[in-house]
Amino acid sequence: MQRLAPQHLHALSVDVGRPAYDRTALQAGIVHLGIGAFVRGHLAAVNEDAIEATGDMRFGIVGVSLRSADTRDALKPQAGLYALALRDATPDGHARELVRVIGNLLRVMVAPEHPEAVVERIAHEHTRIVSLTITEKGYCHDPASRVLLFEHPDIAHDLANAGRPRSAIGLLVRGLECRRLQGRGPLTSMSLDNLASNGDLLCGLVLEFAARVNADLAGWIASGCTFPNSMVDRIVPRTTAHDIDTLSNRLGLVDAWPVVAEPALEWAVEDRFAADRPRWDMGGAQFVESARAFERVKLRVVNASHSALAYLAASAGVRTVDRAMAIPFMRSYLQRMVDEEIAPVMGPVRGVDLGAFSARTLQRFDNPALAHQTHQIAMDGSQKVPQRLLDSIRERLAQSLPVPMLALAVAGWLRYLEGVDERGQKYEVNDPLAAAMAQHQTQAEGSGGLVSRALDAPHRRVLAALSFTPVFGNLAQSQAFVEAVHLQASSLRNIGVLGTLAAVCGAGTETR
C-alpha cells in the first residue's frame, strides 16, 4: 500500500473522513509541547472541527517532541497527517469504529535536536497559543508544594544554558523572552495536563523561572500573558503495532502512527486568551469563566477511579481496564469510593449529578475496544496521587471522617511499587520519584530512622512510605490515615486484591 500523505488522500477508503479544507492555507498559530497520542486524539480533533466549521485558517498546530524523534519520524513522510479511530462497542457487545484523518498538525519538531528552533517558533509572529501535554512529571515541580524544583537537572541546565533549553518550562520562558525582545505581543500558555488548577500552576512555575532570568521579563509575562485553567477528558490508549496494521488496512494507506480513542470527549477551558483563539466550542469544548469545578470532578472522580483501578488490577496481574472491571467487587468498590468518600467532601457541583457522572465513568471503563493497559495508567503515581487521591483524604480527615476506600487506593499504589504482581510476574515501575522514595523508606526504617522500632515490620514499612513528604506532605502525622492505609496494606498482603475488595465491599452481591 501507499503511505498516507496529502497527494494520496483521494485513495482513502470511502468510509474514512478526511480534511475538508485547504491544508496549504493553514498558518501555525498553535505550538504544542509534548506531541503524544493524547493531544492528537483530543486537542487536534477538536481543532479540526473548529477549522472545518469556521474556515479560520490561523490555528494549525506545530507539535514539539521533548524527548524522542519517533513521532516526527513517523509523521514527516505523511506531512503530519494521521488517522484517529474512535472505538467502542454496541449495547450487544459488537465492536464499532469511526475513522477520520486529521489534517491540522502541520509538522513535528524535536526539541533536543534544535531547541533554538522551538524557541523561535514560540516567538513567531503567527503563534498565539502554546499548549502543553507533558504529563505531571514534565513540570519539574514538587507535587506536594507545587513549587519549581530549581535543583531539577533540566531546570538547572536551562538556567545555565539560555540558548539550548530542554525542559518545557525552559523552552516556554526562553520563547517568551524572545518574543519580548522582538517586540511581539504576549500569548496564551495552556496546560492540558491532569493537574489541579493546571493553568495557575503553569503560570507560577513560569514566573519562578523567569524571575531567575530577568525581573522585567517576569513582569512582562505577568502583565500580558494568560494561563487559562482547563479540564480535558478522553481515554487515549497507547497505539500498538496491531492498531497500526488494522488501521492501515481500514484506510487503504499505510499510517505509521495513528491514534485510537474512545468517542467520549470533554474539554472545559477558561476563556482567558491573550490574543485570538479558535472556536473550539464548535468541536465540543466549553469556554467557561472558571474551570475549577470541572477539574475537581475530573481529577477526583475519573482520574481517582482510574488510578485506584490501575494499581489494584496491575498488582493482581490484570493487564487491561475492561478486564479489571470484571474483577469481582471492583465496580462496587470504585462506586462506593466516589459516592461515600469523594462526593461528600466535594459538595454540589453546578450542573453535575455526581452519582450519574460516576456511573457513566465506570461504563466508559467497560469499553472492550480500547484494551487500555493498567500499567500505562499506573505510571508516575508520585505525580498523580497527590491531586487524585490525597486532596479528598485531607478534606475527610479535617472533618474526622473515615477513609477506608481511599486508603485502599493508596495502599494499592504502595503495593504496585513493589514491582511484582500476585502471580509472581515482575514489571518495571515507571515513576520519577521511585528511587528516592525507596531510599527514604530504607533510611526511615533503618536503625535510628524516623519510624519507631516498637512497630511491627509491616507497620513500619507503611509509615516510612507515608512519611515521604514530596508526595504525602504532612499526612504521616495523621494517625487515622496511617492506620487506615496500614489496615488495607495488610489486607492486600494477607488475602490479596480480590479478597480485599470483597472485604471492603462487605462481600455482598456484585452489581453492574
Side-chain angles (χ1 to χ4, degrees):
M1 289 188 291
Q2 294 176 309
R3 188 73 171 262
L4 175 62
Q7 66 272 25
H8 297 146
L9 285 174
H10 68 279
L12 282 170
S13 299
V14 294
D15 60 343
V16 174
R18 65 210 68 194
Y21 54 87
D22 179 7
R23 291 186 79 232
T24 64
L26 274 177
Q27 293 181 353
I30 301 171
V31 174
H32 185 84
L33 305 181
I35 189 69
F38 178 81
V39 70
R40 293 194 292 130
H42 189 280
L43 167 64
V46 175
N47 203 47
E48 190 85 354
D49 289 337
I51 293 170
E52 293 189 345
T54 65
D56 189 343
M57 307 300 282
R58 297 174 299 163
F59 293 101
I61 299 173
V62 170
V64 179
S65 176
L66 299 177
R67 294 288 181 260
S68 168
D70 291 352
T71 300
R72 188 273 314 277
D73 293 348
L75 295 184
K76 186 176 181 179
Q78 302 175 189
L81 295 172
Y82 63 91
L84 170 62
L86 303 183
R87 291 177 177 171
D88 65 352
T90 62
D92 58 0
H94 289 92
R96 59 185 172 188
E97 178 181 71
L98 180 67
V99 182
R100 68 190 293 200
V101 171
I102 302 296
N104 67 91
L105 178 61
L106 298 177
R107 60 179 293 210
V108 175
M109 307 174 72
V110 182
E113 294 179 357
H114 299 290
E116 67 285 354
V118 177
V119 169
E120 292 169 2
R121 188 69 247 177
I122 293 172
H124 195 278
E125 61 178 339
H126 289 166
T127 302
R128 294 170 173 81
I129 298 169
V130 175
S131 51
L132 303 89
T133 50
I134 56 177
T135 75
E136 294 89 343
K137 65 185 175 185
Y139 290 82
C140 303
H141 76 303
D142 176 65
S145 65
R146 294 168 64 87
V147 300
L148 189 65
L149 296 174
F150 285 104
E151 67 273 19
H152 190 287
D154 289 349
I155 298 299
H157 170 275
D158 292 354
L159 285 170
N161 299 273
R164 297 190 60 81
R166 63 190 185 198
S167 73
I169 300 297
L171 287 163
L172 179 53
V173 173
R174 297 300 182 183
L176 292 172
E177 180 183 32
C178 187
R179 285 186 76 87
R180 176 173 175 265
L181 292 174
Q182 293 176 2
R184 292 183 178 138
L187 49 69
T188 300
S189 298
M190 182 178 65
S191 170
L192 301 179
D193 283 300
N194 287 317
L195 293 156
S197 301
N198 51 15
D200 295 340
L201 173 68
L202 177 61
C203 179
L205 301 178
V206 164
L207 291 178
E208 284 185 76
F209 188 102
R212 292 286 183 98
V213 174
N214 182 297
D216 291 339
L217 171 64
W220 180 83
I221 294 171
S223 64
C225 294
T226 61
F227 298 81
N229 295 304
S230 66
M231 178 280 291
V232 296
D233 192 10
R234 172 169 264 180
I235 297 173
V236 183
R238 183 179 290 114
T239 302
T240 67
H242 179 69
D243 293 328
I244 294 171
D245 290 342
T246 57
L247 282 170
S248 293
N249 288 330
R250 174 74 185 276
L251 297 175
L253 297 169
V254 175
D255 183 353
W257 210 225
V259 176
V260 174
E262 65 172 338
L265 179 147
E266 291 191 44
W267 185 9
V269 57
E270 293 173 351
D271 200 0
R272 297 189 290 113
F273 289 78
D276 295 335
R277 57 155 173 80
R279 287 291 307 276
W280 288 323
D281 53 316
M282 305 298 289
Q286 299 180 69
F287 290 110
V288 299
E289 182 178 349
S290 172
R292 186 174 300 275
F294 296 93
E295 70 185 19
R296 278 167 60 87
V297 172
K298 167 73 188 316
L299 286 167
R300 299 195 187 194
V301 177
V302 180
N303 295 132
S305 299
H306 229 183
S307 288
L309 175 149
Y311 303 140
L312 293 168
S315 297
V318 179
R319 300 297 181 181
T320 64
V321 172
D322 60 304
R323 292 181 180 177
M325 289 298 290
I327 295 175
F329 300 102
M330 177 66 81
R331 180 183 302 273
S332 294
Y333 161 65
L334 295 175
Q335 190 76 60
R336 289 186 61 184
M337 182 180 72
V338 173
D339 292 349
E340 298 176 15
E341 298 189 11
I342 295 175
V345 293
M346 285 185 64
V349 179
R350 185 176 180 180
V352 178
D353 180 332
L354 286 175
F357 183 86
S358 176
R360 287 197 304 273
T361 296
L362 299 186
Q363 290 174 357
R364 291 167 60 195
F365 293 174
D366 281 325
N367 189 342
L370 296 180
H372 199 182
Q373 299 292 305
T374 54
H375 285 283
Q376 181 186 357
I377 303 163
M379 66 187 295
D380 298 337
S382 66
Q383 314 297 300
K384 298 173 179 177
V385 164
Q387 65 253 352
R388 297 186 179 193
L389 299 171
L390 300 187
D391 286 344
S392 294
I393 287 171
R394 285 192 173 89
E395 291 178 16
R396 290 189 66 81
L397 294 175
Q399 300 177 44
S400 299
L401 297 172
V403 291
M405 306 293 175
L406 287 162
L408 176 54
V410 174
W413 179 51
L414 300 182
R415 172 66 182 83
Y416 177 78
L417 290 176
E418 295 177 14
V420 58
D421 65 30
E422 293 177 351
R423 302 175 183 180
Q425 297 296 312
K426 294 182 179 180
Y427 51 82
E428 180 183 1
V429 174
N430 193 332
D431 192 299
L433 294 183
M437 188 170 177
Q439 182 180 17
H440 167 83
Q441 286 184 257
T442 299
Q443 293 174 345
E445 292 182 72
S447 178
L450 299 172
V451 180
S452 170
R453 305 300 293 177
L455 300 173
D456 60 29
H459 207 156
R460 288 200 307 274
R461 190 175 305 116
V462 168
L463 183 54
L466 300 184
S467 66
F468 186 61
T469 56
V471 173
F472 294 102
N474 63 357
L475 273 173
Q477 297 175 20
S478 168
Q479 184 176 356
F481 175 62
V482 173
E483 291 300 324
V485 176
H486 169 55
L487 178 66
Q488 302 293 13
S490 296
S491 181
L492 290 174
R493 184 175 61 255
N494 294 329
I495 61 176
V497 170
L498 273 65
T500 300
L501 288 173
V504 299
C505 292
T509 301
E510 174 70 283
T511 58
R512 293 186 66 84

